[in-house]
Amino acid sequence: KAAPRLRPAGVAQGEEGPVGSFRLSDADGAASSKDARDRYLMDYAPLFDSSPAMRKIRTVIESIADTDATVLIRGESGVGKDLVARTIHAASTRSDRSFVKVNCAAIAPGLLESELFGHEKGAFTGPQALKKGLFEVAHGGTIFLDEAGDIGPSLQAKLLRVLQEHEVRRLGGVEPHAGQRGQHGRRVLGVAVD
């Protein structure tokens, strides 16, 4: 199998179930940047030292880790797109914030929009309370949309707004919700290629 390919992307077409989230932190719940960098160097960097091709991937990871660029990871199923996404997060200054993995293929298309964007109370039949979306949960951290190629065209258009404008609007909302307008979190998209 070929190694995953990385490139910054402006536009792109959870193991724990469809959604997983973790935060690198110490016992008090807040990791220092030194602790996070040490964890990256101990737990992730050695995985990318086994061959010239892997060292090249590590160089790319380290060059984009502290940028606000959206990252597109392309590769065959099973080559390690998830590992690359987690490594980008671990190598960045966001590593003390949440990493949220969403397996877009494992969530029914009708539910994926609500999971990603959340919804306001009464946005449609049923919701009795506001629900935070996964973009909001990952605020300031990293969200990894695995199998992003399986997202339908309608939702791709809404995702494009998030990628270009850095604005997230809950379903039923009129304005981007507080704390999200213009705020940057890392967006990583994983796409399987044949």
Side-chain angles (χ1 to χ4, degrees):
K1 291 185 175 179
R5 292 177 287 173
L6 284 76
R7 67 177 173 84
V11 180
Q13 304 193 333
E15 303 136 284
E16 304 91 0
V19 177
S21 175
F22 77 92
R23 182 182 301 247
L24 303 175
S25 62
D26 60 21
D28 297 325
S32 72
S33 59
K34 182 186 180 316
D35 291 341
R37 180 72 180 163
D38 289 348
R39 176 168 175 156
Y40 163 72
L41 291 172
M42 290 177 53
D43 295 347
Y44 290 93
L47 300 173
F48 293 89
D49 282 338
S50 62
S51 71
M54 294 301 282
R55 284 190 288 280
K56 185 176 178 182
I57 291 172
R58 179 179 172 182
T59 300
V60 173
I61 287 169
E62 290 174 352
S63 71
I64 63 175
D66 286 329
T67 70
D68 286 330
T70 296
V71 177
L72 175 65
I73 305 170
R74 296 178 45 197
E76 297 172 9
S77 183
V79 297
K81 294 181 294 290
D82 179 83
L83 175 64
V84 171
R86 289 177 190 269
T87 304
I88 291 168
H89 178 75
S92 76
T93 55
R94 295 175 175 86
S95 62
D96 62 337
R97 298 290 192 99
S98 293
F99 176 93
V100 177
K101 176 187 174 187
V102 183
N103 184 340
C104 297
I107 300 174
L111 297 176
L112 186 57
E113 183 176 6
S114 180
E115 287 296 315
L116 292 175
F117 294 94
H119 56 75
E120 298 289 342
K121 178 180 177 181
F124 48 88
T125 305
Q128 299 301 314
L130 176 142
K131 178 185 179 290
K132 287 184 176 183
L134 296 173
F135 282 114
E136 190 173 356
V137 171
H139 178 67
T142 301
I143 186 165
F144 174 46
L145 302 179
D146 195 15
E147 304 300 337
D150 291 343
I151 296 174
S154 172
L155 188 51
Q156 284 183 21
K158 293 176 182 176
L159 182 59
L160 177 60
R161 181 172 179 84
V162 173
L163 297 176
Q164 289 182 331
E165 307 297 328
H166 302 284
E167 291 184 353
V168 176
R169 184 173 35 230
R170 292 185 191 114
L171 296 176
V174 177
E175 296 289 325
H177 57 81
Q180 287 292 305
R181 181 178 291 140
Q183 295 294 319
H184 294 276
R186 160 89 60 216
R187 275 78 166 164
V188 179
L189 306 169
V191 179
V193 294
D194 297 329

